[in-house]
Every structure is written in structure tokens, then in C-alpha cells.
Amino acid sequence: MPSLSANEFDFDKVKAAEQRKKIYAEAAGENYLIAADHIPFPGLGRLRKDEDGYEWMMVNFSNSGKTK
């Protein structure tokens, strides 16, 4: 589950947590397709709001060349 809390890389931990909360809500509400690094291949997915926060919903990937 993606974390809303600050981490060791955040310079301003309070603002970082506030910004994550805002952008996660927007991404989940608008159903954004997100491309992210440092997560398993293919690194594409969407955020879904659940009772505990947000869930990362990785897109299905196929290299078969079929589009259906």
C-alpha cells in the first residue's frame, strides 16, 4: 500500500505528507494512469481508495502483441 507519511528523502516532512495526501486523493478520484519507477515491472497502475488508505492496482501486461 502506498504510504502517505514522510520518508528520509523528504526535506519538509509536513509539507511532503500533505502533498502526498492531496495528490493521492486526486489520482484515485480521477482514475489517473500512473507510471512509476522503483516498483515491479511494468511500473504502470492506478491508485484505489480503500478503508485503510490507498491500494496500488498494477495494470496487466502482456508481450504477446495482442490488444484484446
Side-chain angles (χ1 to χ4, degrees):
M1 174 177 4
S3 174
L4 292 172
S5 61
N7 61 52
E8 67 272 12
F9 301 108
D10 294 326
F11 179 75
D12 185 327
K13 296 185 183 321
V14 172
K15 285 185 180 178
E18 289 171 359
Q19 186 61 24
R20 277 193 194 91
K21 184 176 180 180
K22 178 182 170 186
I23 199 67
Y24 283 21
E26 181 180 336
E30 297 293 325
N31 202 33
Y32 290 164
L33 179 61
I34 301 166
D37 53 7
H38 303 292
I39 59 173
F41 180 83
L44 297 172
R46 301 178 192 279
L47 287 177
R48 182 173 68 186
K49 181 85 171 113
D50 65 18
E51 63 276 351
D52 296 325
Y54 294 91
E55 182 177 4
W56 176 251
M57 305 299 295
M58 185 171 48
V59 298
N60 292 325
F61 176 80
S62 171
N63 63 358
S64 70
K66 297 180 181 180
T67 59
K68 292 185 178 182

Coordinates of all heavy atoms in Angstrom, one line a residue:
M1 N 0.8 -1.2 0.0 CA 0.0 0.0 0.0 C 0.9 1.2 0.0 O 1.8 1.3 0.8 CB -0.9 0.0 1.2 CG -1.7 1.2 1.4 SD -2.9 1.3 2.8 CE -2.6 -0.2 3.7
P2 N 0.6 2.2 -0.9 CA 1.4 3.4 -0.9 C 1.3 4.2 0.4 O 0.2 4.3 1.0 CB 0.8 4.2 -2.0 CG 0.1 3.2 -2.9 CD -0.3 2.2 -2.0
S3 N 2.4 4.8 0.9 CA 2.4 5.5 2.2 C 2.2 7.0 2.0 O 2.8 7.6 1.1 CB 3.7 5.2 2.9 OG 3.8 6.0 4.0
L4 N 1.4 7.5 2.8 CA 1.2 9.0 2.8 C 2.2 9.7 3.7 O 2.4 10.9 3.7 CB -0.2 9.3 3.3 CG -1.4 8.9 2.4 CD1 -2.7 9.2 3.1 CD2 -1.3 9.7 1.1
S5 N 2.9 8.9 4.6 CA 3.8 9.5 5.5 C 5.1 10.0 4.9 O 5.4 9.5 3.8 CB 4.1 8.5 6.7 OG 4.7 7.4 6.1
A6 N 5.8 10.9 5.5 CA 7.1 11.4 5.1 C 8.1 10.2 5.1 O 7.9 9.3 5.9 CB 7.5 12.6 5.9
N7 N 9.2 10.4 4.4 CA 10.3 9.4 4.4 C 11.6 10.2 4.6 O 11.6 11.4 4.6 CB 10.2 8.5 3.2 CG 10.4 9.3 1.9 OD1 11.3 10.1 1.8 ND2 9.5 9.1 1.0
E8 N 12.7 9.5 4.6 CA 14.0 10.1 4.8 C 14.5 11.0 3.7 O 15.4 11.8 3.9 CB 15.1 9.0 5.1 CG 15.4 8.1 3.9 CD 14.5 6.9 3.8 OE1 13.4 6.8 4.5 OE2 14.8 6.0 3.0
F9 N 13.8 10.9 2.6 CA 14.2 11.8 1.4 C 13.5 13.1 1.4 O 13.8 14.0 0.6 CB 14.0 11.0 0.1 CG 14.7 9.8 0.0 CD1 14.1 8.5 0.1 CD2 16.1 9.8 -0.1 CE1 14.8 7.3 0.0 CE2 16.8 8.6 -0.2 CZ 16.1 7.4 -0.1
D10 N 12.4 13.3 2.2 CA 11.7 14.5 2.2 C 12.4 15.6 3.0 O 12.7 15.4 4.2 CB 10.3 14.2 2.8 CG 9.4 13.3 2.0 OD1 9.5 13.4 0.7 OD2 8.6 12.6 2.5
F11 N 12.6 16.7 2.4 CA 13.2 17.9 3.1 C 12.2 18.5 4.2 O 12.6 18.7 5.3 CB 13.6 18.9 2.1 CG 14.3 20.1 2.7 CD1 15.6 20.1 3.2 CD2 13.6 21.3 2.9 CE1 16.2 21.2 3.8 CE2 14.1 22.4 3.5 CZ 15.4 22.3 3.9
D12 N 11.0 18.7 3.7 CA 10.0 19.3 4.6 C 8.9 18.1 4.8 O 8.1 18.0 4.0 CB 9.4 20.5 4.1 CG 8.4 21.2 5.0 OD1 7.7 20.5 5.8 OD2 8.3 22.4 4.9
K13 N 9.1 17.4 5.9 CA 8.2 16.2 6.1 C 6.7 16.5 6.2 O 5.9 15.8 5.7 CB 8.7 15.4 7.3 CG 10.2 14.9 7.0 CD 10.6 14.0 8.2 CE 12.0 13.6 8.0 NZ 12.5 13.2 6.7
V14 N 6.4 17.6 6.8 CA 5.0 18.0 7.0 C 4.4 18.3 5.6 O 3.3 17.8 5.3 CB 4.8 19.2 8.0 CG1 3.4 19.7 8.0 CG2 5.3 18.8 9.4
K15 N 5.0 19.2 4.9 CA 4.5 19.5 3.5 C 4.5 18.3 2.6 O 3.6 18.2 1.8 CB 5.4 20.7 2.9 CG 5.1 22.0 3.5 CD 5.8 23.1 2.8 CE 5.5 24.4 3.5 NZ 6.2 25.5 2.8
A16 N 5.5 17.5 2.7 CA 5.6 16.3 1.8 C 4.3 15.4 2.1 O 3.7 14.9 1.2 CB 6.8 15.5 2.1
A17 N 4.0 15.2 3.4 CA 2.9 14.3 3.7 C 1.6 15.0 3.2 O 0.7 14.3 2.7 CB 2.8 14.1 5.2
E18 N 1.5 16.3 3.4 CA 0.3 17.0 2.9 C 0.1 16.9 1.4 O -1.0 16.7 0.9 CB 0.3 18.5 3.3 CG 0.2 18.7 4.8 CD 0.5 20.2 5.2 OE1 0.8 21.0 4.3 OE2 0.4 20.5 6.4
Q19 N 1.2 17.0 0.7 CA 1.1 17.0 -0.8 C 0.8 15.5 -1.2 O 0.0 15.4 -2.2 CB 2.5 17.4 -1.4 CG 2.5 17.5 -2.9 CD 1.5 18.5 -3.4 OE1 1.1 19.4 -2.8 NE2 1.0 18.2 -4.6
R20 N 1.4 14.5 -0.6 CA 1.0 13.1 -0.9 C -0.5 12.9 -0.7 O -1.1 12.3 -1.6 CB 1.8 12.2 -0.1 CG 3.2 11.9 -0.6 CD 3.8 10.7 0.0 NE 5.2 10.7 -0.3 CZ 6.2 11.3 0.4 NH1 5.8 11.9 1.6 NH2 7.4 11.4 0.0
K21 N -1.0 13.4 0.4 CA -2.4 13.2 0.7 C -3.3 13.8 -0.4 O -4.2 13.2 -0.9 CB -2.8 13.8 2.0 CG -4.2 13.6 2.5 CD -4.5 14.1 3.9 CE -5.9 13.9 4.3 NZ -6.2 14.4 5.6
K22 N -2.9 15.0 -0.8 CA -3.7 15.7 -1.9 C -3.6 15.0 -3.2 O -4.6 14.8 -3.9 CB -3.1 17.1 -2.0 CG -3.8 18.0 -3.1 CD -3.1 19.3 -3.1 CE -3.6 20.1 -4.4 NZ -2.8 21.3 -4.5
I23 N -2.4 14.7 -3.6 CA -2.2 14.1 -5.0 C -2.7 12.6 -5.0 O -3.2 12.2 -6.1 CB -0.7 14.2 -5.5 CG1 -0.7 14.0 -7.0 CG2 0.2 13.2 -4.8 CD1 -1.3 15.1 -7.8
Y24 N -2.6 11.9 -4.0 CA -3.2 10.5 -3.9 C -4.7 10.6 -4.1 O -5.3 9.8 -4.8 CB -2.8 9.8 -2.7 CG -1.4 9.3 -2.6 CD1 -0.4 9.8 -3.4 CD2 -1.1 8.3 -1.7 CE1 0.9 9.3 -3.3 CE2 0.2 7.8 -1.6 CZ 1.2 8.3 -2.4 OH 2.5 7.8 -2.3
A25 N -5.3 11.5 -3.4 CA -6.8 11.6 -3.5 C -7.2 12.0 -4.9 O -8.1 11.5 -5.5 CB -7.3 12.7 -2.5
E26 N -6.4 12.9 -5.5 CA -6.7 13.4 -6.9 C -6.5 12.2 -7.9 O -7.4 11.9 -8.7 CB -5.9 14.5 -7.3 CG -6.1 15.0 -8.7 CD -5.2 16.2 -9.1 OE1 -4.7 16.9 -8.2 OE2 -5.0 16.4 -10.3
A27 N -5.4 11.5 -7.7 CA -5.1 10.4 -8.6 C -6.2 9.3 -8.5 O -6.6 8.7 -9.6 CB -3.7 9.8 -8.3
A28 N -6.6 9.0 -7.3 CA -7.6 7.9 -7.1 C -9.0 8.4 -7.7 O -9.7 7.7 -8.3 CB -7.7 7.5 -5.7
G29 N -9.3 9.6 -7.3 CA -10.6 10.2 -7.7 C -10.8 10.3 -9.2 O -11.8 10.1 -9.8
E30 N -9.7 10.7 -9.9 CA -9.7 10.9 -11.4 C -9.3 9.7 -12.2 O -9.2 9.7 -13.4 CB -8.8 12.1 -11.7 CG -9.3 13.4 -11.2 CD -10.6 13.9 -11.7 OE1 -10.9 13.6 -12.9 OE2 -11.4 14.5 -11.0
N31 N -8.9 8.6 -11.4 CA -8.5 7.3 -12.0 C -7.3 7.5 -13.0 O -7.2 6.9 -14.1 CB -9.7 6.7 -12.8 CG -9.5 5.2 -13.0 OD1 -8.9 4.5 -12.1 ND2 -10.0 4.7 -14.1
Y32 N -6.3 8.3 -12.5 CA -5.1 8.5 -13.3 C -4.3 7.2 -13.6 O -4.2 6.4 -12.7 CB -4.2 9.5 -12.6 CG -4.6 10.9 -12.5 CD1 -4.0 11.8 -11.6 CD2 -5.6 11.4 -13.3 CE1 -4.4 13.1 -11.5 CE2 -6.0 12.8 -13.2 CZ -5.4 13.6 -12.3 OH -5.7 14.9 -12.2
L33 N -3.8 7.1 -14.8 CA -2.8 6.0 -15.0 C -1.5 6.6 -14.6 O -1.1 7.6 -15.1 CB -2.8 5.7 -16.5 CG -1.9 4.6 -16.9 CD1 -2.1 3.3 -16.2 CD2 -1.9 4.4 -18.4
I34 N -0.8 5.9 -13.8 CA 0.5 6.4 -13.2 C 1.6 5.5 -13.6 O 1.5 4.3 -13.6 CB 0.4 6.3 -11.6 CG1 -0.8 7.2 -11.1 CG2 1.7 6.8 -11.0 CD1 -1.2 7.0 -9.7
A35 N 2.7 6.2 -14.1 CA 3.9 5.5 -14.4 C 4.9 5.8 -13.3 O 5.2 7.0 -13.0 CB 4.5 5.9 -15.8
A36 N 5.4 4.8 -12.7 CA 6.3 5.0 -11.5 C 7.5 4.1 -11.6 O 7.5 3.0 -12.2 CB 5.5 4.7 -10.2
D37 N 8.6 4.5 -11.1 CA 9.8 3.7 -11.0 C 10.0 3.1 -9.6 O 9.2 3.4 -8.7 CB 11.1 4.5 -11.4 CG 11.2 5.8 -10.6 OD1 10.5 6.0 -9.7 OD2 12.1 6.5 -11.0
H38 N 10.9 2.3 -9.4 CA 11.1 1.6 -8.2 C 10.0 0.7 -7.7 O 9.8 0.5 -6.5 CB 11.5 2.6 -7.1 CG 12.7 3.4 -7.4 ND1 14.0 2.9 -7.6 CD2 12.8 4.7 -7.7 CE1 14.8 3.9 -7.9 NE2 14.1 5.0 -8.0
I39 N 9.2 0.3 -8.6 CA 8.1 -0.7 -8.3 C 8.2 -1.8 -9.4 O 8.8 -1.6 -10.4 CB 6.7 -0.1 -8.3 CG1 6.4 0.6 -9.6 CG2 6.6 0.9 -7.2 CD1 5.0 1.1 -9.7
P40 N 7.6 -3.0 -9.2 CA 7.7 -4.1 -10.1 C 7.3 -3.7 -11.5 O 6.3 -2.9 -11.7 CB 6.9 -5.2 -9.5 CG 6.8 -4.9 -8.1 CD 6.9 -3.4 -8.0
F41 N 7.9 -4.3 -12.5 CA 7.5 -4.1 -13.9 C 6.1 -4.5 -14.1 O 5.6 -5.4 -13.5 CB 8.4 -5.1 -14.8 CG 8.1 -5.0 -16.3 CD1 8.7 -4.0 -17.0 CD2 7.2 -5.9 -16.8 CE1 8.4 -3.9 -18.4 CE2 6.9 -5.8 -18.2 CZ 7.5 -4.8 -19.0
P42 N 5.3 -3.8 -14.9 CA 5.7 -2.8 -15.8 C 5.7 -1.3 -15.2 O 6.0 -0.4 -16.0 CB 4.6 -2.9 -16.9 CG 3.4 -3.2 -16.1 CD 3.9 -4.1 -15.0
G43 N 5.4 -1.2 -14.0 CA 5.5 0.1 -13.4 C 4.3 1.1 -13.7 O 4.4 2.3 -13.5
L44 N 3.3 0.5 -14.2 CA 2.1 1.2 -14.5 C 0.9 0.8 -13.7 O 0.7 -0.4 -13.5 CB 1.7 1.1 -16.0 CG 2.7 1.6 -17.0 CD1 2.3 1.1 -18.4 CD2 2.8 3.1 -17.0
G45 N 0.1 1.7 -13.2 CA -1.0 1.3 -12.4 C -1.9 2.5 -12.0 O -1.7 3.6 -12.5
R46 N -2.8 2.3 -11.1 CA -3.7 3.3 -10.6 C -3.8 3.1 -9.1 O -3.6 2.1 -8.6 CB -5.1 3.1 -11.2 CG -5.1 3.2 -12.8 CD -6.5 2.9 -13.3 NE -6.4 2.7 -14.8 CZ -6.3 3.7 -15.7 NH1 -6.3 5.0 -15.3 NH2 -6.3 3.4 -17.0
L47 N -4.2 4.2 -8.4 CA -4.4 4.2 -7.0 C -5.9 4.0 -6.8 O -6.7 4.6 -7.5 CB -4.0 5.4 -6.3 CG -2.5 5.6 -6.2 CD1 -2.2 7.0 -5.5 CD2 -1.9 4.5 -5.4
R48 N -6.3 3.2 -5.8 CA -7.7 3.0 -5.5 C -7.8 3.2 -4.0 O -7.0 2.7 -3.2 CB -8.2 1.6 -5.8 CG -9.6 1.4 -5.5 CD -10.1 0.1 -5.9 NE -9.5 -1.0 -5.2 CZ -9.7 -2.3 -5.4 NH1 -10.4 -2.7 -6.5 NH2 -9.1 -3.2 -4.7
K49 N -8.8 4.1 -3.6 CA -9.0 4.4 -2.2 C -9.7 3.2 -1.5 O -10.6 2.5 -2.1 CB -9.9 5.6 -2.1 CG -10.3 6.0 -0.7 CD -9.2 6.9 -0.1 CE -9.6 7.5 1.2 NZ -8.8 7.1 2.3
D50 N -9.1 2.8 -0.4 CA -9.8 1.7 0.4 C -9.9 2.2 1.9 O -9.6 3.4 2.2 CB -9.1 0.4 0.3 CG -7.7 0.4 0.9 OD1 -7.3 1.3 1.7 OD2 -6.9 -0.5 0.6
E51 N -10.4 1.4 2.7 CA -10.7 1.8 4.1 C -9.4 2.2 4.9 O -9.5 3.0 5.9 CB -11.5 0.8 4.9 CG -10.8 -0.6 5.1 CD -10.9 -1.5 3.9 OE1 -11.7 -1.2 2.9 OE2 -10.2 -2.5 3.9
D52 N -8.3 1.7 4.5 CA -7.0 1.9 5.2 C -6.1 3.0 4.6 O -5.1 3.3 5.1 CB -6.2 0.6 5.4 CG -6.9 -0.4 6.2 OD1 -7.6 0.0 7.2 OD2 -6.8 -1.6 5.9
G53 N -6.5 3.5 3.4 CA -5.7 4.4 2.7 C -5.9 4.2 1.2 O -6.9 4.4 0.7
Y54 N -4.8 3.8 0.5 CA -4.8 3.6 -0.9 C -4.2 2.2 -1.3 O -3.3 1.8 -0.6 CB -4.0 4.7 -1.6 CG -4.7 6.0 -1.5 CD1 -4.4 6.9 -0.4 CD2 -5.7 6.4 -2.3 CE1 -5.1 8.1 -0.2 CE2 -6.4 7.6 -2.2 CZ -6.1 8.4 -1.1 OH -6.7 9.6 -0.9
E55 N -4.7 1.7 -2.3 CA -4.1 0.4 -2.8 C -3.6 0.6 -4.2 O -4.2 1.3 -5.1 CB -5.2 -0.7 -2.9 CG -4.8 -2.0 -3.3 CD -5.9 -3.0 -3.3 OE1 -7.0 -2.7 -3.0 OE2 -5.6 -4.2 -3.6
W56 N -2.4 0.1 -4.5 CA -1.8 0.2 -5.8 C -2.3 -0.9 -6.7 O -2.3 -2.1 -6.4 CB -0.3 0.1 -5.7 CG 0.4 0.0 -7.1 CD1 1.0 -1.0 -7.6 CD2 0.6 1.1 -8.0 NE1 1.6 -0.7 -8.8 CE2 1.3 0.6 -9.1 CE3 0.2 2.4 -8.0 CZ2 1.7 1.4 -10.2 CZ3 0.6 3.2 -9.0 CH2 1.3 2.7 -10.1
M57 N -3.0 -0.5 -7.8 CA -3.6 -1.5 -8.7 C -2.7 -1.5 -10.0 O -2.9 -0.7 -10.9 CB -5.0 -1.1 -9.1 CG -5.9 -0.9 -7.9 SD -6.1 -2.3 -6.9 CE -6.9 -3.4 -8.0
M58 N -1.8 -2.5 -10.1 CA -0.9 -2.6 -11.2 C -1.7 -3.0 -12.4 O -2.5 -3.9 -12.4 CB 0.2 -3.7 -10.9 CG 1.3 -3.8 -12.0 SD 2.7 -4.8 -11.5 CE 1.9 -6.3 -10.8
V59 N -1.3 -2.4 -13.6 CA -2.0 -2.8 -14.8 C -1.5 -4.2 -15.3 O -0.3 -4.5 -15.0 CB -1.8 -1.8 -16.0 CG1 -2.4 -0.4 -15.6 CG2 -0.4 -1.6 -16.3
N60 N -2.3 -4.9 -16.0 CA -1.9 -6.2 -16.5 C -1.0 -5.9 -17.7 O -1.2 -5.0 -18.5 CB -3.1 -7.0 -17.0 CG -3.9 -7.5 -15.8 OD1 -3.4 -7.8 -14.7 ND2 -5.2 -7.5 -16.0
F61 N 0.0 -6.7 -17.9 CA 0.9 -6.6 -19.0 C 1.0 -7.9 -19.8 O 1.0 -9.0 -19.2 CB 2.3 -6.2 -18.5 CG 3.3 -6.1 -19.6 CD1 3.4 -5.0 -20.4 CD2 4.2 -7.2 -19.8 CE1 4.4 -4.9 -21.4 CE2 5.1 -7.1 -20.8 CZ 5.2 -6.0 -21.6
S62 N 1.1 -7.7 -21.1 CA 1.3 -8.9 -22.0 C 2.2 -8.5 -23.1 O 2.1 -7.4 -23.7 CB -0.1 -9.3 -22.6 OG 0.2 -10.3 -23.6
N63 N 3.2 -9.4 -23.4 CA 4.1 -9.1 -24.5 C 3.7 -10.0 -25.7 O 4.5 -10.2 -26.6 CB 5.5 -9.3 -24.1 CG 5.8 -10.7 -23.7 OD1 4.9 -11.6 -23.7 ND2 7.1 -11.0 -23.4
S64 N 2.5 -10.4 -25.8 CA 2.0 -11.3 -26.9 C 1.8 -10.5 -28.2 O 1.6 -11.1 -29.2 CB 0.8 -12.1 -26.5 OG -0.3 -11.2 -26.4
G65 N 1.6 -9.2 -28.1 CA 1.3 -8.4 -29.2 C -0.2 -8.3 -29.5 O -0.6 -7.6 -30.4
K66 N -1.0 -9.0 -28.7 CA -2.4 -8.9 -28.9 C -3.0 -7.7 -28.1 O -2.5 -7.5 -27.0 CB -3.1 -10.2 -28.5 CG -2.7 -11.4 -29.3 CD -3.3 -12.6 -28.9 CE -2.9 -13.8 -29.7 NZ -3.5 -15.0 -29.3
T67 N -3.9 -7.0 -28.7 CA -4.5 -5.9 -28.0 C -5.8 -6.2 -27.3 O -6.4 -5.3 -26.7 CB -4.7 -4.7 -29.0 OG1 -5.6 -5.1 -30.0 CG2 -3.4 -4.2 -29.5
K68 N -6.3 -7.4 -27.5 CA -7.6 -7.8 -26.8 C -7.4 -8.7 -25.7 O -6.5 -9.5 -25.7 CB -8.6 -8.3 -27.8 CG -9.0 -7.3 -28.8 CD -10.1 -7.9 -29.7 CE -10.6 -6.9 -30.7 NZ -11.6 -7.4 -31.5

